Amino acid sequence: MIHLSITQEQQSQIRQGQPLLWLNPKYQEPSSAPAKPDVLEMYEAQARLARFAPVLCQLFPELAVSNGIIESPLLLAPHLHQAIAPMGARTLIKADHGLPVAGSIKARGGIHEVLCFAEQLALDHQVLKDIHDDYQKVLQPEVRSLFGQYEIAVGSTGNLGLSIGIIGAALGFQATVHMSVDAKEWKKDRLRKRGVKVVEHDADYGAAVAAGRAEAEANPSSYFVDDESSPRLFMGYAVAALRLKAQLEEQQIAVDSDHPLFVYLPAGVGGAPGGITFGLKAMFGEYVHCFFAEPVQAPCMLLGMAGRPGAEPVSVYEFDLTIDTEADGLAVGQASQWVCDAIRDQLAGVYTAEDAALYQHLLQLKKLENIEVEPSAAIGCLGPQMLNTPEGRAWIRDHQLDEVMEKSTHLIWTTGGSFVPKEEYQAFIDKAIRCI
């Protein structure tokens, strides 16, 4: 028997592939997440990224303008705001679709994990005396030869593979990416051009991860980046919250009891949005409310969060779903148990959407704000609309937010898009026009 905090009506909606808003009954109940990660690890990740910044500047010239820090701008979106969020004071876009180096939200977490491994090797082999040494030593030919004796491997639907493969190959590692059946061909091509080995699988994300994990376990010189249970990935993603806090302060946008912040995050297996949610709650506490967004055919985080703490998340296949969606980065059948348990009391809720809605908002972003994204990155635009449903309005009243909604800020977190080939993006636009 499946035990989930979901009504019978919602279970029926999930089975039928109908959009819905699920609100987390464990929200703001710390006892529901007893094994929460240590916030100090987020600050350690931030410091590690800063130590490697000079190295990244050398490897990726586009980072010179940011002194080696991989970060995206925080954009005000007044035209989009009028279209989707009349209830709030403003709509912002955290433009991770344009993150340098990897072109997606996966850049921070994926690159951070590879840097963790590189740092440990450099310290173990006394390339670096300590963490205060000159990290540019890792660029020396003999160190690249050392790194070349090791493999970095990962299973991916696309964007994490790009992140891991690009930084791994740039540092001199052998890089292998196991791609699921839904991964886009252009992402595979981009990796191969960087010297990354791409292993294609005729199965879903979970199977690609399992195959990559098994292969890495058989190779003592292989380091596997496990998207399903990696604190290093998670904390790399969480660093985004520290950066966002500074950006909000720079723009003089308050987040407090009178000015709540609502954040809408596309979700696949859960690592990236989970890490960001963890970081945001550490920064803003009860004044920020995070919602995950998933395709109707792949609501794995919804099912994972609605399950029992410590229990293996329910697969979408148990609801006769197919993970057949154009949002390739979100096409995941089973959520990360580790992430679900880490943020069980921090996530406000999850909503689902049909692919047609993703394409409509993809077109809307282009027309209104001249922003080009992948379909999966457009799903966040539905957040304010879902909060404006009867269920959403009841939740707002229950949390005593109705009197301050006019002063609220709504943040759309875009996740990928800047590396999409022009012909691929035009195909998205054509499809979006047909969906109107």
Side-chain angles (χ1 to χ4, degrees), residues 293-313:
E294 300 184 290
V296 293
Q297 287 296 324
C300 70
M301 279 303 297
L302 191 163
L303 297 176
M305 292 297 296
R308 291 176 172 176
E312 181 179 353

Side-chain angles (χ1 to χ4, degrees), residues 188-221:
K188 300 173 190 176
D189 292 341
R190 191 175 185 89
L191 284 168
R192 291 188 179 109
K193 289 177 181 177
R194 294 269 186 165
V196 178
K197 179 183 176 182
V198 176
V199 181
E200 300 181 72
H201 295 270
D202 293 325
D204 70 2
Y205 164 84
V209 170
R213 186 188 296 118
E215 189 174 299
E217 287 174 352
N219 179 2
S221 296

Side-chain angles (χ1 to χ4, degrees), residues 38-349:
D38 190 341
V39 172
L40 288 177
E41 294 180 30
M42 175 176 63
Y43 290 97
E44 290 171 359
Q46 181 189 42
R48 183 173 294 107
L49 290 168
R51 291 196 294 271
F52 271 100
V55 176
L56 296 176
C57 267
Q58 293 295 317
L59 294 175
F60 306 105
E62 63 267 34
L63 294 179
V65 294
S66 62
N67 295 317
I69 299 300
I70 299 173
E71 196 45 70
S72 67
L74 179 65
L75 308 175
L76 190 63
H79 304 296
L80 184 67
H81 176 73
Q82 290 300 317
I84 69 171
M87 71 172 83
R90 66 184 64 81
T91 294
L92 303 173
I93 293 174
K94 188 67 174 94
D96 273 9
H97 65 280
L99 273 175
V101 180
S104 81
I105 194 172
K106 301 294 186 179
R108 295 185 202 84
I111 288 173
H112 174 255
E113 174 134 6
V114 174
L115 294 181
C116 284
F117 183 56
E119 181 179 62
Q120 192 59 57
L121 279 177
L123 290 169
D124 289 347
H125 288 81
Q126 299 183 329
V127 172
L128 298 174
K129 296 177 182 178
D130 53 39
I131 62 172
H132 305 293
D133 204 349
D134 179 5
Y135 271 52
Q136 293 187 78
K137 289 179 180 179
V138 303
L139 297 173
Q140 297 170 351
E142 58 269 28
V143 181
R144 290 183 62 84
S145 296
L146 167 66
F147 288 170
Q149 299 172 34
Y150 294 86
E151 176 192 51
I152 301 283
V154 67
S156 175
T157 61
N159 284 341
L160 180 62
L162 279 174
S163 173
I164 299 296
I166 288 171
I167 184 61
L171 286 167
F173 291 104
Q174 302 171 48
T176 301
V177 179
H178 293 261
M179 295 289 231
S180 56
V181 67
D182 45 14
K184 301 297 185 185
E185 201 62 38
W186 69 264
K187 295 182 181 181
K188 300 173 190 176
D189 292 341
R190 191 175 185 89
L191 284 168
R192 291 188 179 109
K193 289 177 181 177
R194 294 269 186 165
V196 178
K197 179 183 176 182
V198 176
V199 181
E200 300 181 72
H201 295 270
D202 293 325
D204 70 2
Y205 164 84
V209 170
R213 186 188 296 118
E215 189 174 299
E217 287 174 352
N219 179 2
S221 296
S222 181
Y223 179 90
F224 184 68
V225 179
D226 197 332
D227 199 15
E228 295 180 347
S229 58
S230 173
R232 289 177 165 182
L233 276 178
F234 187 86
M235 291 303 171
Y237 296 132
V239 168
L242 297 169
R243 312 259 182 84
L244 176 65
K245 184 175 186 292
Q247 290 175 321
L248 288 167
E249 290 171 353
E250 287 170 7
Q251 297 189 29
Q252 298 183 324
I253 296 173
V255 179
D256 54 34
S257 58
D258 292 324
H259 305 87
L261 173 64
F262 294 85
V263 182
Y264 310 104
L265 291 149
V269 74
I276 290 169
T277 295
F278 175 83
L280 289 174
K281 295 302 281 188
M283 293 296 98
F284 302 113
E286 63 183 309
Y287 307 133
V288 63
H289 307 282
C290 299
F291 291 84
F292 287 179
E294 300 184 290
V296 293
Q297 287 296 324
C300 70
M301 279 303 297
L302 191 163
L303 297 176
M305 292 297 296
R308 291 176 172 176
E312 181 179 353
V314 172
S315 166
V316 304
Y317 299 121
E318 294 194 43
F319 279 75
D320 302 318
L321 300 175
T322 64
I323 71 164
D324 181 16
T325 172
E326 289 294 327
D328 61 317
L330 313 183
V332 178
Q334 188 173 33
S336 162
Q337 178 185 330
W338 190 90
V339 173
C340 289
D341 288 340
I343 62 165
R344 198 164 295 279
D345 65 323
Q346 296 183 328
L347 183 66

